[in-house]
Amino acid sequence: MLHYLLYPFLAYRSVFYPTLILCLVAVPCWLVIRLYRRRTSGHRASLGRELLLLTFIVYCCGLAAATLNPHDTVHMRSQAMSGIELRPKLATLTCSSAKLPSGSNARFFCMYNAKGNVLLFFPLGILIPLIGRRLRFWHVVLIAIAASASIETLQYISRVWGSYRLADINDVILNTLGACLGLLVVTLLRLVPGMRVSSPVLQRR
């Protein structure tokens, strides 16, 4: 049973180890900063909010490992593309091109990339409105777009020192879609009676 539950995530196991390494560095540093701030400010910290912020730090480590750490799948994808793609392509977003026959490696890598980019930013759409309680709907969307565009820019710049990462506008679209789906989850949870998702991000003023 556990094998079937974990199987969809096996394709992304290459990012687990880099994420662990980054967490071992970032999490202790974050805890030291938060403890120092608590001592200097004198305010009592909320355990729930601290756990939420810690979750966001761990997520950022995973996001950095997934987007900035080269691996074989990215290398194979880059062989068929130039360093930058600024035109949205429906075939890339839906993997429905005639050049991507069912069962082919090209279609697998297209699906891998599409699903991966949506899943990467899904937690961001949940965490940002919970952390930034005064943010509105479009603020969260703009943050997702800015974060994704920044990552793509870094990937393109990294090619200067030999990286084979790509900058692709289609990835930005998929990332933003993932964040919007996460934001939709927050919306639905706020509509469930008895659920307390304390964020006015979706309240229109």
Side-chain angles (χ1 to χ4, degrees):
M1 181 65 179
L2 183 60
H3 172 76
Y4 290 104
L5 292 176
L6 296 178
Y7 182 78
F9 300 97
L10 291 180
Y12 308 101
R13 62 185 180 276
S14 59
V15 304
F16 292 164
Y17 182 71
T19 299
L20 178 61
I21 297 299
L22 289 176
C23 286
L24 290 176
V25 176
V27 170
C29 293
W30 173 255
L31 292 177
V32 170
I33 292 173
R34 296 302 293 177
L35 289 173
Y36 175 78
R37 182 177 179 181
R38 180 181 178 183
R39 291 188 60 182
T40 56
S41 65
H43 296 294
R44 184 176 181 180
S46 168
L47 179 60
R49 181 165 178 80
E50 292 301 322
L51 290 176
L52 183 62
L53 291 173
L54 183 60
T55 300
F56 183 72
I57 294 299
V58 173
Y59 164 73
C60 288
C61 291
L63 184 63
T67 57
L68 301 179
N69 177 50
H71 48 82
D72 294 340
T73 302
V74 178
H75 193 188
M76 295 182 70
R77 182 188 171 211
S78 66
Q79 293 175 352
M81 297 181 61
S82 60
I84 187 170
E85 178 59 66
L86 298 177
R87 294 179 301 175
K89 295 181 178 180
L90 184 61
T92 301
L93 296 172
T94 62
C95 301
S96 58
S97 172
K99 298 180 180 179
L100 303 172
S102 179
S104 65
N105 288 336
R107 183 177 178 83
F108 170 79
F109 289 126
C110 180
M111 295 296 296
Y112 173 93
N113 177 70
K115 292 187 296 183
N117 276 294
V118 172
L119 289 174
L120 276 176
F121 271 61
F122 179 79
L124 186 69
I126 296 177
L127 293 172
I128 288 296
L130 295 180
I131 294 174
R133 298 178 179 178
R134 297 182 179 180
L135 295 175
R136 298 185 182 181
F137 180 90
W138 290 110
H139 291 160
V140 179
V141 176
L142 290 175
I143 289 173
I145 294 174
S148 180
S150 299
I151 290 172
E152 296 300 316
T153 301
L154 289 174
Q155 290 178 344
Y156 182 71
I157 294 175
S158 68
R159 297 178 70 89
V160 175
W161 53 81
S163 172
Y164 42 78
R165 282 285 183 173
L166 307 171
D168 191 348
I169 187 63
N170 297 284
D171 289 350
V172 177
I173 296 174
L174 292 169
N175 290 158
T176 305
L177 174 61
C180 289
L181 291 176
L183 193 54
L184 179 61
V185 170
V186 176
T187 307
L188 295 177
L189 289 177
R190 293 185 70 248
L191 296 177
V192 175
M195 293 293 294
R196 298 182 60 184
V197 183
S198 55
S199 173
V201 63
L202 301 172
Q203 295 178 358
R204 299 184 181 274
R205 299 179 180 178

